[in-house]
Amino acid sequence: MSNSVRTAILRKITDSVSNINVLDIASCLHLKPHKANGVYSYLLPLKTNQYDIQNQVQNILTHDPSNIFDVGIEKNAISFSLSREKHIKNVLEHNCSTISAPSFVSEKKNVIVEFSSPNIAKPFHMGHLRSTIVGNYIANINSFVKNNVKRINYLGDWGTQYGLIQLGVDMASIHEDEMKNNPIKSLYTAYVTANKLAETDSSVLQRAREIFKDLETGTGVTFEQWKMFKQYTVEELKRTYGRIGITFDEYHWESMYNARKIEKIIAMMEDMQLLVTDELNRKVVNLENEKSVPVIKSDGSTLYIARDIAAAIDRFEKNNFDRMYYVVDNAQINYFSNLLEILRRMKMPWVDRLRHVQFGRLNGLRTRKGNITFLEEILDTARDVMKQKQIDSSTTKVRLDSTDNSSDILGISAMIVNDLKRRRQRDYTFDWNAAFDLKGDTGVKLQYAHCRLVNLERNCGAVLVSECEPSLLREEVVDDLVILISNFEEVVLRSYEEMESCVLTAYLFNLTRAINRAFKTLRVKNEAPDVASQRLLLFHVSKNVLAQGMKLLGLMPLEEM
């Protein structure tokens, strides 16, 4: 339903009934408008403990001076009905300029979303791609419902890998210019070079451990070179993320939480008698079921979980978050269970505000060059696949020259939607043909529908109006579209609460199908001016809703393709 109808229902209830919580009602109000006999109806299901308010609500709303609704009591629900004319007018006029966020989601929350988080010494692998796409969606939809969102990319730059990279830079003779121009691949080359030697020469790994230990303790190792490597890496990452329309508010590093900087936390854990020394001389936390979680190595250097403990505490102290989401794959369930349990034993009162947003494994993603998973090469392959399809299509309108980036945007759209249309926790195998199918439920299909609507507005010859005259919109396909437009914020709320993007993508595919059916029935060009303008208003609002949904998914709506 349109935002104004939802708001009207909720305000009438909450302003008039003293013993009801607005959030309880808002959480019930997931409605799909239904049309019958010229009337649109909505049902508010009531929980058992809310039955006692039915008569109060009915009495108040049936005497509503604004006369918006007819109200009735049905089994376990309150029904709200209004005429077709009022409803169509409300929906189209309300959504003519902008698409508002759902009302009464909650009070504003401070939300941190940690996502993507590649390890700078290794390729941007498939798990990071899913984390990037899913995490960006979660950040987008939280922003849309007016939460204060901070996006953090927590980059892996610490541990024994650091020592291996330092050794590998020298072994592979990587010069500064090469590092500056291509830092991610250079660091990977260094890491692989040292790792390969370590397989046959144990002294290499031992030297790497010593380098890392010296760095953690601050003895004998300069930090300047590593700072330069990190700077180059962030600059390259920002360019690549910018290509897919993703920005981060902050880049954090594991090295922000080295041993020297978390001494107080380790001391606190020891004072609470949480840390014990095991038979390998490591400092561990013993959890239930005889589970032992190492936190400090035998040589005194930190493990990943120690840095995550410090990071969580630091972020709460700086941000006072209401929720922090870790967007990391299913393989890390046990790790995050251990992290949360340790923080709970440390008596951190905010530990229940942390959430591990899990997702399944992505298999089968190969570029044309083989089993390479650098993000830039994945995106290049997607662009090239899409460009060839544009070349082969007779409906392509853009000039495919050096100034056109539609192929890149379409390729990225196909990759994003191919991921977000699935249940988050399910594994799936990537299929290039299915992801780029022009006739299937793909990102390309959404872009095509949007371009078609833009083209209609530009070339139909009708005047776009902002005032709706429902008597000129009598066709059944009008109701199909209005009902879908009405349901947009319900879909957004459900997707937000479940953190499932597939709820929104399924809705957008249904919307595009309804738009395509309307194209066949509702001509705009060469129709009577008043009829043409009303039909154009309907298509314009459909375009607004489609575009807003695409933006939530992380797509950049195209105007031509």
Side-chain angles (χ1 to χ4, degrees), residues 500-542:
E500 285 286 4
S501 58
C502 63
V503 173
L504 178 58
T505 53
Y507 166 85
L508 293 177
F509 291 135
N510 286 333
L511 180 63
T512 58
R513 282 189 279 271
I515 290 169
N516 290 335
R517 288 193 299 270
F519 268 125
K520 296 177 181 178
T521 304
L522 304 177
R523 289 181 56 84
V524 178
K525 195 171 185 177
N526 299 326
E527 292 292 321
D530 54 350
V531 173
S533 292
Q534 291 300 311
R535 290 177 177 179
L536 182 58
L537 174 61
L538 174 65
F539 283 120
H540 175 76
V541 171
S542 301

Side-chain angles (χ1 to χ4, degrees), residues 11-179:
R11 283 182 178 163
K12 286 296 177 184
I13 295 173
T14 56
D15 289 351
S16 307
V17 183
S18 58
N19 63 336
I20 190 168
N21 186 315
V22 62
L23 297 183
D24 288 341
I25 286 294
S27 66
C28 290
L29 196 56
H30 290 300
L31 310 177
K32 291 185 178 181
H34 168 73
K35 174 184 168 285
N37 300 321
V39 172
Y40 284 88
S41 298
Y42 304 86
L43 286 179
L44 170 58
L46 290 176
K47 301 173 185 177
T48 303
N49 63 356
Q50 295 172 332
Y51 293 165
D52 61 336
I53 70 164
Q54 287 188 18
N55 291 333
Q56 295 181 64
V57 172
Q58 183 184 25
N59 181 60
I60 291 161
L61 294 180
T62 51
H63 294 90
D64 175 18
S66 63
N67 198 29
I68 298 176
F69 307 108
D70 291 324
V71 182
I73 296 293
E74 301 189 11
K75 184 179 181 181
N76 301 342
I78 303 172
S79 66
F80 303 86
S81 300
L82 64 164
S83 72
R84 179 183 188 274
E85 285 72 21
K86 285 182 180 179
H87 187 69
I88 291 177
K89 185 176 179 66
N90 178 282
V91 168
L92 297 188
E93 291 183 356
H94 179 76
N95 295 291
C96 182
S97 55
T98 58
I99 307 301
S100 303
S103 298
F104 295 98
V105 173
S106 64
E107 296 179 0
K108 276 188 178 181
K109 294 179 180 178
N110 293 324
V111 174
I112 291 177
V113 186
E114 180 197 300
F115 65 103
S116 195
S117 303
N119 185 323
I120 68 171
K122 298 176 183 177
F124 195 109
H125 65 64
M126 293 176 282
H128 293 132
L129 180 60
R130 287 213 78 187
S131 174
T132 304
I133 293 171
V134 173
N136 188 55
Y137 177 71
I138 290 171
N140 285 347
I141 203 163
N142 270 274
S143 294
F144 186 61
V145 300
K146 306 302 183 184
N147 287 335
N148 298 312
V149 179
K150 180 174 287 187
R151 303 158 185 253
I152 293 179
N153 199 349
Y154 185 46
L155 300 174
D157 73 321
W158 214 233
T160 303
Q161 65 165 2
Y162 168 81
L164 287 169
I165 292 171
Q166 287 281 30
L167 292 172
V169 167
D170 295 332
M171 293 174 178
S173 300
I174 298 172
H175 299 291
E176 183 177 344
D177 287 345
E178 185 180 354
M179 183 70 69

